Structures are given as structure tokens and as C-alpha cells.
Amino acid sequence: MHDLRRQALESGKTVSRKARSKNSSPASSRPNSAPSSRAASRSRAVSKASSDEEENGNLSDETSFSTNSIDELLNGDATDTFTDAWRADLADRIQELIDRKRSSVQGREKCLATYVRILTTQYAEEDIRGKEEELVAAFLKSIKAESSERETILAMKALAITVVTSPSDLIYEAVISPLKRVISDSASIPSKAAAVHCLGTCTFFGGASDDEILDNMAYLLEIVASDGAFIEAQDEPTPVVAALEEWGSLATLIDDLADESEDAAEYFVEQLSSSNPAVQVAAGENIALLYEKSYRPLTEDDGPAEYSELDIASDPDDVPGVPKLVKNYDAYRRTDVLKDTLSDLARLNTRRLSKKEQKSLRTNFADILDSVEYPTHGPRYQNAISHETGKRYGSRMTVRIHKEGVMRIDKWWKLHRLQALRRVLQSGFVTHYERNPVVFESLP
């Protein structure tokens, strides 16, 4: 599914049916900035990146908040080849970032890229412990100055990987205003998108309260509802996709979305008619999450007469120990209309997209439609009966952890968190999942 998102970030605009039907003012002109290139090999050093690539705007893996296709992620088995030599290199880069004396833009870019690469591929909590406040202050200087697009994005990536490595309740308050300024005022579309992703990560891991999480979800929804116009990025796909993705990630932290679900679903349904497949998929995944969260386990305290049979969703095989689910609230009032739209997308046939893209889009929306109809079904649910167990296969999405371990992604909230972590950690996800308790506890 992320291969579609990659294409959206590389070219094209997102225009929803709502935006096309109204007379909106044209977006202000701004320099075009080429977004991130395909994620580079983890072993490639930033210092070896050619100057031609940088001049053409092709940013390296260290600046990317996008991911490869979900299938590449699920089948990947990243291993690192570094020795403990990275510790000395990291200590030098930390000192260089904090001192910042007589540093040049190119020097800071190189230093930040090395810092990001090391913290991505290694779990370095002990190495940055006690230095987080100074590091965050250094990153914010680069973010506020916006001396170059590359330095700004690298600083936000460094901030995100730092808070995932060593969460702190003090980070959120320090970074929220500078990040929102970049989102609203930066002339760089890639910087706006990176700031949205960084905002989501810092809200998730940086000590934000439930009210602050909901406030930021509302802020992200404004970006989506306006097709980017709210942040002076009219019809730009990159920030809209970022806002959709981070909204979904933050929504996994909120137990009850009854008050938010209807309005959010309305905006997401609107984006299903976008001309950009990445926007469509991200909106669809949020819709599936809303329907999943509108149900809760049926408990012994729930009286048999409290809910009708239509409100109770049980496991199709009635597996012992698997609780029945009861609808807590309506995720969206116009479910029948939504099903028709999802069904059309699941059967999409258009010359606008390649065969591979169409197949990916159809697969995604077949999953999303299935979960809207049957909220007990997670991503990649299969009704086929296993000859070995005599039961349905169910959700068959798993992440391989080296050669023996697997992580089962059988809920939409798990997929949203997996994708959010993968955007920050890139190919270092497996390393952090094994060694970083923050990552492990986020995906129990």
C-alpha cells in the first residue's frame, strides 16, 4: 500500500470531490521541491551521497518519513552490521550538535544525518541519556532557522528518533509551537509534511495529555478537510497524506472516539474521491480504524437485553476465549453509502493507474470494506478454511522478526502503530522492536 503513497509523494496533487465542486482560490505560488527518493540502503553513508542528488532535491533515507510497500515491511528482516565503533561516532556527533560553534549548513546536515542513521539502526538510549534537553534545543535551532530544506527535515527526523529512543514528558511542550510554525508558514512542502510527521511522533511519545492529543487530531483534521489549504498547501498530496497518517496513529491512543467519529469519518469519506491514491488509502485506513474502535468487548456486566443481535459482532468460528464485540456507537451514519464507495474502489479499473497500482488499491479497499462490514476482521482477513485447523485463516498479516519470530498484525490499530514507527525507524524497526521497550510496548 505504501508504494502508492510513494508515487503520490513524488508527483501529482490531491483534489477531493468537495474541492473540485467549489470555487476555491488558487494556491499561492512557491518553489517546487522534489520529495524524498526511494529509501537508500542502510549502509550507505550520508557523506558519500553525491552533490548532484542533493542539488536535485533527492533526499536520502535519513530524511524520509515515508515507508516502502507494506509487503516489503512485512517480509523484511533487517539486521545491522555495525560494531561498537558507532558509540564513539555518536558521542562526537552529539557534542558537535550541542556545541554548534562555527558550524556550516553543510556541516550540520552531515552531522544530523549521521546522528539519525546511528539512532535509527542502533538502540542508543544509554548514549543519549541526560543529553536529551540539549539535543532537543539544538534540533529546534535548525528547525526554527530553516537554513536549508535538508537541514530542517533532518533536524525533525532527529527529533522524532530521539523521542522514540528516550521519551520525555518535557519534549512535547518544547516542540509543539516551532513545529506548527513550520507546518503553517514554511515555503517548503516537504518540510511541512515532515513537520506533520514529527508533530505526530512528539505528541505520541513526548508527554502530551489526552486533551492535547485530541487538539492535535482536530488540527490534523483541518489540514485534511481543507485539502491542505489550512496550512497554505492547497491540493498538495504530501502534507494531506501525512495528516491522515498521523491522525490515525494518534487515534489509537484514545479509547472512546464517539464524539469525534462522525465528523472525522465524513472528511475521510470525502477524501476517498481524491484524485491521489495515497490520500485515498490513508483515508480508508482511518475509516477502518474508526469502525474497529466503535466496538468494544461484551462483558458479563452487559445485560442480554441491552443490545440487539445486530449490535453484537461475534467471532465467526466462536473460538473459546475470544470475546464477542458490541457496538458502542455508530462510527458513521451513512454506512450503506460508504460501503458502495468502498466496493467501487475495491473493483477499480482505470487507465489512470498502472496494473500494479490498481491491484494494490483494490486489495487495500477490499480489506477496508471487509472491516466496515465485519468489525471483528482485521487487515488481510481471509475467510478461507484451513485444512489443518478447520477454522478460517483470519488476519494473515504478520511481521517477521528475523528468521523465527513473527508479530501478528490482526487489528487496524496495530497496523497504524506499525506504520507510524516504521516511518521514523525505517529499516531499523526490527532492531528497536527487539531492544527498545518503548517500541515493543507500543505493539504488544
Side-chain angles (χ1 to χ4, degrees):
M1 59 186 71
H2 292 291
D3 51 344
L4 294 177
R5 297 184 190 186
R6 182 183 309 285
Q7 182 190 26
L9 301 184
E10 290 173 352
S11 63
K13 309 265 186 194
T14 170
V15 185
S16 68
R17 183 175 63 245
K18 182 178 180 181
R20 291 196 299 267
S21 65
K22 66 184 180 181
N23 295 322
S24 57
S25 59
S28 59
S29 61
R30 64 188 82 246
N32 291 325
S33 300
S36 304
S37 64
R38 183 172 60 86
S41 169
R42 222 171 52 159
S43 61
R44 188 183 70 184
V46 171
S47 59
K48 293 182 180 180
S50 69
S51 59
D52 289 342
E53 287 182 343
E54 293 184 10
E55 289 173 2
N56 291 331
N58 293 323
L59 305 180
S60 69
D61 184 54
E62 284 76 19
T63 62
S64 176
F65 273 97
S66 64
T67 65
N68 295 325
S69 72
I70 191 66
D71 290 312
E72 290 179 34
L73 167 60
L74 299 180
N75 296 323
D77 190 17
T79 55
D80 63 77
T81 57
F82 291 126
T83 64
D84 276 350
W86 63 266
R87 294 188 182 277
D89 194 9
L90 177 59
D92 290 342
R93 300 293 78 75
I94 290 174
Q95 194 60 46
E96 185 178 344
L97 286 168
I98 292 174
D99 286 347
R100 202 181 171 91
K101 294 179 181 178
R102 295 182 297 276
S103 63
S104 65
V105 172
Q106 283 188 322
R108 291 193 297 272
E109 289 175 357
K110 182 178 179 180
C111 185
L112 285 165
T114 302
Y115 177 90
V116 170
R117 175 175 55 80
I118 294 174
L119 258 70
T120 298
T121 56
Q122 305 290 337
Y123 177 51
E125 190 276 333
E126 291 183 3
D127 301 85
I128 67 172
R129 187 184 302 163
K131 306 179 183 71
E132 296 93 337
E133 186 175 350
E134 292 177 288
L135 283 167
V136 170
F139 302 149
L140 289 177
K141 287 181 181 178
S142 292
I143 293 169
K144 292 175 181 177
E146 282 198 87
S147 300
S148 75
E149 181 182 279
R150 181 174 172 79
E151 180 186 351
T152 305
I153 296 176
L154 280 166
M156 289 187 283
K157 191 68 187 286
L159 176 56
I161 187 64
T162 298
V163 74
V164 171
T165 299
S166 182
S168 168
D169 290 344
L170 303 177
I171 289 180
Y172 175 79
E173 291 295 336
V175 305
I176 182 66
S177 294
L179 289 176
K180 284 191 173 181
R181 187 202 62 77
V182 174
I183 295 170
S184 299
D185 300 339
S186 178
S188 163
I189 295 301
S191 293
K192 285 177 180 287
V196 170
H197 284 304
C198 190
L199 173 69
T201 304
C202 291
T203 303
F204 198 107
F205 295 103
S209 66
D210 283 352
D211 286 342
E212 288 168 330
I213 293 170
L214 288 170
D215 285 345
N216 282 332
M217 288 171 63
Y219 175 77
L220 295 170
L221 203 58
E222 287 274 12
I223 299 174
V224 174
S226 67
D227 294 324
F230 180 65
I231 58 170
E232 300 296 324
Q234 180 71 43
D235 298 331
E236 291 285 352
T238 326
V240 175
V241 172
L244 284 164
E245 291 175 337
E246 296 305 330
W247 190 97
S249 173
L250 294 180
T252 68
L253 294 171
I254 305 299
D255 291 333
D256 189 343
L257 288 172
D259 293 335
E260 291 77 24
S261 188
E262 179 68 28
D263 288 343
E266 188 69 44
Y267 292 128
F268 299 151
V269 170
E270 188 65 45
Q271 291 298 338
L272 294 179
S273 62
S274 169
S275 60
N276 188 281
V279 174
Q280 292 175 295
V281 171
E285 289 176 350
N286 284 350
I287 290 170
L289 177 67
L290 285 174
Y291 274 82
E292 179 178 87
K293 290 184 73 66
S294 67
Y295 281 73
R296 64 171 177 81
L298 190 65
T299 66
E300 294 180 357
D301 295 332
D302 294 313
E306 287 187 46
Y307 302 96
S308 68
E309 292 185 5
L310 294 176
D311 289 335
I312 298 176
S314 59
D315 182 83
D317 290 316
D318 199 21
V319 177
V322 177
K324 293 183 177 180
L325 300 178
V326 60
K327 184 163 65 175
N328 219 21
Y329 53 87
D330 288 323
Y332 182 55
R333 287 176 295 178
R334 303 175 64 190
T335 297
D336 289 344
V337 176
L338 172 60
K339 288 180 181 179
D340 290 340
T341 302
L342 295 174
S343 181
D344 290 342
L345 288 167
R347 299 192 306 265
L348 184 69
N349 187 7
T350 176
R351 294 181 180 180
R352 182 171 58 88
L353 302 175
S354 69
K355 289 184 179 180
K356 181 179 180 181
E357 291 167 337
Q358 289 186 71
K359 180 180 178 181
S360 181
L361 199 65
R362 287 194 291 262
T363 299
N364 288 324
F365 279 102
D367 278 357
I368 293 163
L369 173 60
D370 187 49
S371 293
V372 168
E373 293 179 328
Y374 306 101
T376 57
H377 294 184
R380 301 285 171 87
Y381 190 94
Q382 290 192 6
N383 282 303
I385 303 296
S386 168
H387 293 297
E388 296 180 359
T389 65
K391 304 289 186 180
R392 290 175 174 83
Y393 282 109
S395 293
R396 303 192 72 181
M397 180 178 285
T398 57
V399 178
R400 190 175 67 204
I401 307 297
H402 295 307
K403 294 182 179 180
E404 297 180 359
V406 292
M407 182 201 323
R408 187 176 176 85
I409 307 299
D410 54 358
K411 298 292 183 183
W412 285 100
W413 71 263
K414 289 185 179 181
L415 180 59
H416 276 274
R417 290 194 183 182
L418 171 66
Q419 292 177 150
L421 288 166
R422 182 67 170 82
R423 286 192 292 270
V424 176
L425 300 172
Q426 299 287 316
S427 54
F429 170 78
V430 170
T431 296
H432 278 264
Y433 183 75
E434 289 185 315
R435 304 174 188 174
N436 186 342
V438 174
V439 173
F440 183 81
E441 290 166 8
S442 297
L443 281 169

